Every structure is written in structure tokens, then in C-alpha cells.
């Protein structure tokens, strides 16, 4: 079983135990919706690719379901700026993943690990840096990996290389799952740390007088 599918199982367990409730609230997803999406990605990733032509095929778990989830998150975004930021972050992520693909060896045997894992980790990190919010980071990570695959296929076709684009297939489900989860995890960890720092500063600005707390003067 691949790393991406293992991470999906771990994610489902966390959702069942209520550990991921805070993240789901930020993503505007209920427990049932999240578990349904995880199940569809997991079992869809085990199915074969769906041919859409001579040069194109899509995977249900690796492309169709994640794309539907991204559209849902974009619709649920609070502002138009968040939507544009998500799409811009996706383009930057796609460029970074495409560049990594050109810098790494073309032979899988020359790599000490699956290159899809590197794509996923890099995409997750870059998506968070430019997406910031949980929704934007997830959208940027997932769409960034897909866009990079499409861009590489277009380049190959223009060069006369008759290569089939298996969108979300051939291991890409691992990169997509890892990128989305890493982006959301980073956004959650940094967001939680930031909130605790702000909360700590507010508590320090209070003074205990006459049996209760009062706001003190801000220290320069």
C-alpha cells in the first residue's frame, strides 16, 4: 500500500476520533462529508484510470474527487481575494513541482525514494507559504500538482513525444494526497501557534487588582 493511501487511512481515523474537528471547521466540512471524500479518494485511487481519449485518462481518486473538493472549497471561500490567492498559489506550486521534475533524475531507479513523495512535500510547503489559509493551502497543493502534470504533458506533445497523460494516476494520487495534507497541516500548526502567541500577549497585558483582572498598559 502506498504512502498516500496510508495517510488517508490515518486521516479517517483522526476524523472518527474527533481530532480533526478544528481543521474540518476551517475547511467548511462536516465529519460525514470529510469521511465520504476520504473514502472516495481511497477506493477511487485503487480503481483503474478512466480513458477520455487517445492521450488522456483520469483517475477517480487521484483527480476527479480532489478536483470536486477543490471547487467546493473555492465556492466556500470567504472572499474573492482568497479564491484568487488560492489559484495564484496553485500556479506557483505547479511551477515549483515542474522545476523539481526537471532537476531530479528521469530514471526512478536513480532516486532513493519515490519522486511523487518529493512532489507532494514540496507542493504542500509551497502551497502553504503562498496560500496561508487552510482552504487556500489545500486547493493550491492539489491543483498545483495537477497543473504541473498537465504542463509537462503539453510540453511533451509539442516536442512530438506521444505520451499519455494519466491525470491523478500512475502514483500521482500519492503526490496529490501528500501535498493537500501537508499544506493543511502546516496551516493548522502555524495558525495554532500564532493564536497561542497572541493569546499569551493578551493575558500578559492584564493585571490582578482588587481580586480581579484588569487590563494593564501596553509595554513598549
Amino acid at each position: 500500500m502506498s504512502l498516500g493511501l496510508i495517510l488517508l487511512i490515518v486521516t479517517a481515523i483522526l476524523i472518527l476520533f474527533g481530532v480533526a474537528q478544528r481543521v474540518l471547521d476551517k475547511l467548511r466540512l462536516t465529519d460525514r462529508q470529510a469521511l465520504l471524500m476520504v473514502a472516495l479518494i481511497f477506493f477511487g485511487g485503487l480503481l483503474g484510470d478512466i480513458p477520455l481519449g487517445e492521450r488522456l485518462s483520469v483517475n477517480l481518486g487521484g483527480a476527479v474527487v480532489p478536483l470536486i473538493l477543490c471547487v467546493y472549497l473555492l465556492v466556500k471561500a470567504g472572499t474573492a481575494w482568497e479564491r484568487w490567492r488560492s489559484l495564484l498559489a496553485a500556479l506557483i506550486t505547479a511551477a515549483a513541482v515542474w522545476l523539481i521534475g526537471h532537476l531530479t533524475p528521469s530514471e526512478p531507479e536513480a532516486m532513493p525514494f519515490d519522486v511523487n513523495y518529493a512532489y507532494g512535500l514540496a507542493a504542500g510547503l509551497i502551497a502553504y507559504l503562498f496560500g496561508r489559509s487552510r482552504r487556500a493551502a489545500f486547493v493550491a497543493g492539489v491543483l498545483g500538482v495537477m497543473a504541473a502534470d498537465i504542463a509537462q504533458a503539453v510540453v511533451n506533445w509539442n516536442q512530438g513525444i506521444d505520451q499519455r497523460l494519466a491525470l491523478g494516476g500512475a502514483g500521482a494520487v500519492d503526490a496529490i494526497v501528500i501535498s493537500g495534507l501537508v499544506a493543511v497541516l502546516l496551516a493548522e500548526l502555524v495558525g495554532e501557534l500564532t493564536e497561542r502567541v497572541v493569546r499569551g500577549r493578551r493575558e500578559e497585558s492584564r493585571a490582578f487588582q482588587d481580586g480581579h483582572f484588569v487590563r494593564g498598559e501596553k509595554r513598549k
Side-chain angles (χ1 to χ4, degrees):
M1 185 178 295
S2 66
L3 178 60
L5 297 182
I6 293 175
L7 289 176
L8 286 175
I9 294 175
V10 173
T11 301
I13 294 174
L14 293 177
I15 294 173
L16 288 172
F17 281 93
V19 179
Q21 189 59 53
R22 175 186 168 93
V23 177
L24 294 180
D25 290 341
K26 296 292 185 180
L27 294 176
R28 307 285 179 85
L29 290 171
T30 65
D31 291 353
R32 290 184 179 180
Q33 289 173 334
L35 287 173
L36 176 61
M37 287 296 176
V38 170
L40 289 175
I41 294 174
F42 181 89
F43 292 107
L46 298 176
L47 300 176
D49 296 344
I50 302 173
L52 298 179
E54 295 182 358
R55 291 185 173 184
L56 175 64
S57 63
V58 297
N59 185 275
L60 181 63
V64 178
V65 177
L67 182 59
I68 292 174
L69 182 54
C70 286
V71 172
Y72 171 82
L73 294 177
L74 286 173
V75 171
K76 289 293 185 178
T79 63
W81 166 238
E82 184 178 357
R83 297 186 186 96
W84 284 110
R85 186 177 61 188
S86 302
L87 297 176
L88 178 60
L91 290 177
I92 297 174
T93 301
V97 172
W98 187 81
L99 181 61
I100 292 174
H102 280 263
L103 295 178
T104 53
S106 57
E107 299 81 9
E109 297 78 10
M111 295 286 291
F113 52 86
D114 191 336
V115 70
N116 285 301
Y117 299 162
Y119 293 158
L121 291 172
L125 176 60
I126 296 168
Y128 161 69
L129 291 176
F130 290 95
R132 304 307 300 228
S133 72
R134 282 80 166 174
R135 290 188 297 271
F138 181 87
V139 170
V142 172
L143 294 186
V145 173
M146 290 188 186
D149 286 342
I150 295 173
Q152 185 58 55
V154 172
V155 170
N156 291 339
W157 294 338
N158 288 334
Q159 294 177 350
I161 301 175
D162 188 15
Q163 181 179 352
R164 187 180 186 85
L165 171 59
L167 195 60
V173 63
D174 289 326
I176 289 174
V177 169
I178 293 172
S179 63
L181 292 180
V182 168
V184 172
L185 181 61
L186 285 173
E188 176 62 20
L189 290 176
V190 175
E192 177 66 19
L193 290 174
T194 302
E195 290 179 9
R196 289 190 177 186
V197 170
V198 173
R199 193 183 309 123
R201 289 178 178 176
R202 288 177 179 175
E203 291 177 354
E204 289 176 1
S205 66
R206 293 174 176 266
F208 191 75
Q209 294 179 2
D210 300 328
H212 60 278
F213 285 98
V214 297
R215 291 188 178 278
E217 296 181 358
K218 292 183 179 181
R219 297 178 181 178
K220 295 182 179 181

